[in-house]
Amino acid sequence: MERIAITERPDWRDKATEYGFNFHTMYGEPYWCEDAYYRFSPAQIDKLETVTEELHQMCLQVVDRVVASDALMARFCIPKHTWEFVRQSWKTHQPSLYSRLDLAWDGTGEPKLLENNADTPTSLYEAAFFQWIWLEDQIASGNLPPDSDQFNSLQEQLIARFAQLKEHHGFNLLHFTCCRDTVEDRGTIQYLQDCAAEAGVANEFLYIDDIGLGEKGQFTDLQDQVISNLFKLYPWEFMLREMFSTKLEDAGVRWLEPAWKSIISNKALLPLLWEMFPDHPNLLPAWFADAEHPTMDKYVVKPLFSREGANIKIIENGTPIAEVDGPYGEEGYIVQQFHPLPKFGDSYTLIGSWLINDKAAGIGIREDRALITQDLSRFYPHTFTG
């Protein structure tokens, strides 16, 4: 795994505008960067693919264990009045669309799982589409070898998955929703709508606060049309606590992502994985913070619910050496053994490894000068050759 400087495409900002990539710069700081790229070998890509799929299957075993236990449902802080709703989503095999595992790896040894973004992962558009355009353009301009490739079948697999959802699960009309005032979320949703349309799935968009409740307890859109299938870029941990959560079980909606994803998008996943698969080479030791655990010189404290690095602390010899503020933590914390992100120059690098349903589909790479990767950490493209 190498970080290699490369000439930027002179017209990439125009292309970003043309393709609707409206969040390549956020709050005056670059988010998309292409002054360098990461290069892998085919063997390294094979490793990432194998590890990603194995870890995913281990996570599904956690779901199977948690839904069978009231004690674990409580430990994962899933509200009691939604337990049956979550359980039924698993027992009835409600289908999934996608997820992203965050891995620490420098191309040698074993990748380590930091967390599972199983519910509302973003950075999809830039991983699936814009970095592929970058690859084609850089090959065409002679800046990359003609045999350069990319671990990236995301768009192809997304379209195929939407087609499966239509054919086998009855997703004939799919509503999409997210919160207002977030350009990145809306951009991600628009990209997914485009993939759904390519697969022949009719779709409509509305903001989450525009969803209504019909007379028969069904969710409805602004045209009072019943919502039967809904992709939401909105976390289950919020939904399961809100007023309308009492209606979820009877609303007749098929959700993407399904409610069982509330289990593996929860940081409580990490200590349970370590308990079920002790000393697995791709896991880091992890425990619930309020349970007995070994003393560690350097470790990470994570809230059960946290997004974009919020409320995470890195502790060394009892002293925080890095931390991010945020609104999370009231439900409890886990502790995970610290594992350094690889450092290239002055920046730490994180690999986001994507799955479409159960199949590894590509990676996206984020960089930050801080130890904790956050929502504004820079995105860099990658290739593999050989």
Side-chain angles (χ1 to χ4, degrees), residues 244-256:
F244 69 83
S245 63
T246 57
K247 309 292 184 185
L248 288 169
E249 202 167 345
D250 301 321
V253 177
R254 277 176 301 195
W255 300 91
L256 289 176

Side-chain angles (χ1 to χ4, degrees), residues 268-282:
L269 167 75
L270 301 169
L272 215 61
L273 279 171
W274 186 247
E275 179 186 325
M276 292 171 66
F277 305 97
D279 300 316
H280 189 282
N282 303 118

Side-chain angles (χ1 to χ4, degrees), residues 214-251:
E215 291 178 5
K216 298 179 181 177
Q218 297 164 305
F219 294 127
T220 56
D221 63 17
L222 289 169
Q223 287 73 46
D224 293 326
Q225 183 175 215
V226 170
I227 296 172
S228 300
N229 307 297
L230 182 62
F231 177 93
K232 53 162 202 64
L233 207 59
Y234 189 71
W236 273 118
E237 67 262 24
F238 293 174
M239 289 183 66
L240 297 181
R241 285 163 172 73
E242 290 172 356
M243 189 170 59
F244 69 83
S245 63
T246 57
K247 309 292 184 185
L248 288 169
E249 202 167 345
D250 301 321

Side-chain angles (χ1 to χ4, degrees), residues 295-301 312-324 338 371-372:
T295 302
M296 293 175 282
D297 292 337
K298 198 169 183 180
Y299 59 94
V300 185
V301 181
I312 288 176
K313 289 183 183 180
I314 300 174
I315 309 291
E316 185 171 14
N317 298 322
T319 302
I321 60 168
E323 58 185 304
V324 176
F338 176 80
L371 278 167
I372 300 171

Side-chain angles (χ1 to χ4, degrees), residues 46-63:
D46 288 346
K47 179 78 169 177
L48 284 169
E49 189 170 15
T50 301
V51 166
T52 296
E53 292 184 1
E54 182 180 349
L55 285 168
H56 175 67
Q57 290 301 319
M58 290 158 57
C59 291
L60 296 184
Q61 291 182 55
V62 171
V63 179

Side-chain angles (χ1 to χ4, degrees), residues 115-143:
E115 59 188 60
N116 187 350
N117 298 275
D119 183 19
T120 58
T122 52
S123 78
L124 176 69
Y125 169 87
E126 46 276 38
F129 182 75
F130 206 69
Q131 72 166 337
W132 184 261
I133 298 297
W134 167 88
L135 177 73
E136 290 183 327
D137 288 348
Q138 293 288 33
I139 292 172
S141 65
N143 288 330

